[in-house]
C-alpha cells in the first residue's frame, strides 16, 4: 500500500492543512499506517502535482499562509480503484524486538526485558488513547447504533483493528515478561 492511499483515506474526513492532516493522521490513521509529517507533506505535493488533491491558500496574519488540501474527483477515482483491487498479502512481521527476543538466551536479558516492558507501556498508552477515540466516535451510542447511524464506519472499523493489535502486543508482552522472570536464574 502506498502512503498516498492512506493520505486519501484521511482526506475523506474533509479538507485539511498538512499540519492538521499530520495531527489527524496521528490520531486516526496511525492505528494502521505510520508516517512522519515530512513524508505527508512530500506526498501531498506529489498528489497535488498529479491532480489527486487540490490545495487552496488561506491568508493568515502573523503566521505563514496555510494550504488546505482536499480530494479531487480524480483522487476519489484512484481511491475507488484502490479499494476495488485485490488486497495484497497480509503484512509480514518485521520487528527488531522479536529478533532480540529470539536471541535472549545468549545476551543481555535485562535489556530485552526493558525493551519488552517499554513496548507494553507504549501499547497501554495507545490502547487508552484509542479507547478515548472510540468513546468520542460512539458519543453515547452503542456500537449497533453507531453502525446503523454513522455516515462512515471505516474509521471505526480500523480503530477496532488498532485496538486489537495493541491488545495482542500487551498480551504477548506480559506473557514474555512473566516467562523471562520465571527463567531469570537460568539466563545470563
Amino acid at each position: 500500500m502506498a502512503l498516498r492511499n492512506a493520505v486519501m483515506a484521511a482526506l475523506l474526513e474533509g479538507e485539511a492543512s498538512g499540519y492538521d492532516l499530520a495531527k489527524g493522521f496521528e490520531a486516526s490513521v496511525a492505528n494502521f499506517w505510520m508516517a512522519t509529517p515530512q513524508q505527508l507533506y512530500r506526498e501531498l505535493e506529489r498528489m497535488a502535482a498529479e491532480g489527486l488533491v487540490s490545495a487552496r491558500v488561506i491568508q493568515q496574519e502573523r503566521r505563514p499562509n496555510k494550504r488546505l488540501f482536499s480530494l479531487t474527483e480524480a483522487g476519489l477515482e484512484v481511491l475507488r480503484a484502490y479499494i476495488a483491487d485485490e488486497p495484497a498479502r497480509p503484512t509480514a512481521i518485521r520487528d527488531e524486538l522479536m529478533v532480540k527476543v529470539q536471541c535472549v538466551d545468549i545476551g543481555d536479558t535485562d535489556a530485552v526485558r526493558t525493551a519488552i516492558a517499554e513496548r507494553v507501556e507504549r501499547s497501554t498508552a495507545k490502547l487508552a488513547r484509542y479507547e478515548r477515540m472510540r468513546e468520542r466516535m460512539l458519543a453515547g451510542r452503542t456500537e449497533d447504533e453507531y453502525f446503523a447511524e454513522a455516515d462512515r464506519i471505516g474509521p471505526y472499523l480500523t480503530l477496532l483493528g488498532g485496538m486489537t493489535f495493541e491488545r495482542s502486543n500487551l498480551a504477548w508482552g506480559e506473557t514474555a515478561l512473566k516467562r523471562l522472570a520465571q527463567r531469570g536464574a537460568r539466563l545470563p
Side-chain angles (χ1 to χ4, degrees):
M1 181 174 92
L3 174 58
R4 73 180 44 225
N5 297 324
V7 170
M8 288 190 289
L11 284 172
L12 286 171
E13 297 298 320
E15 186 177 57
S17 69
Y19 175 81
D20 293 334
L21 188 60
K23 288 294 184 195
F25 215 82
E26 184 179 302
S28 65
V29 181
N31 58 52
F32 62 92
W33 191 270
M34 300 297 292
T36 66
Q38 295 82 5
Q39 290 171 316
L40 289 171
Y41 283 112
R42 282 193 304 270
E43 192 61 37
L44 283 167
E45 292 302 323
R46 280 193 287 268
M47 292 168 65
E50 294 176 27
L52 302 176
V53 298
S54 61
R56 67 182 180 98
V57 177
I58 302 294
Q59 302 291 327
Q60 299 188 113
E61 292 183 29
R62 298 188 182 134
R63 295 179 135 186
N65 292 339
K66 177 167 52 171
R67 292 176 61 198
L68 295 179
F69 294 90
S70 59
L71 281 173
T72 62
E73 191 56 41
L76 283 169
E77 287 305 313
V78 166
L79 199 52
R80 285 183 185 110
Y82 167 72
I83 62 174
D85 282 346
E86 184 175 320
R89 291 186 354 204
T91 302
I93 296 175
R94 292 173 53 171
D95 187 336
E96 184 179 0
L97 177 58
M98 293 300 165
V99 176
K100 292 179 180 190
V101 170
Q102 179 77 12
C103 302
V104 72
D105 301 293
I106 64 162
D108 186 349
T109 58
D110 287 339
V112 174
R113 283 185 188 115
T114 298
I116 294 169
E118 288 171 355
R119 167 122 356 136
V120 166
E121 188 176 313
R122 280 193 307 274
S123 290
T124 300
K126 275 184 161 180
L127 193 53
R129 189 172 77 238
Y130 291 167
E131 188 57 45
R132 288 189 301 274
M133 289 170 58
R134 180 179 173 273
E135 292 303 316
R136 278 194 305 273
M137 290 174 87
L138 290 176
R141 298 175 284 191
T142 66
E143 277 191 347
D144 287 339
E145 291 169 336
Y146 178 85
F147 285 120
E149 299 168 2
D151 291 334
R152 296 189 58 235
I153 63 170
Y156 189 82
L157 291 172
T158 58
L159 178 64
L160 292 177
M163 293 172 78
T164 300
F165 178 76
E166 295 307 334
R167 285 186 187 114
S168 176
N169 274 335
L170 281 171
W172 171 82
E174 290 166 355
T175 298
L177 289 171
K178 176 182 170 186
R179 297 303 181 188
L180 286 170
Q182 289 172 339
R183 289 184 49 107
R186 292 180 54 198
L187 296 173

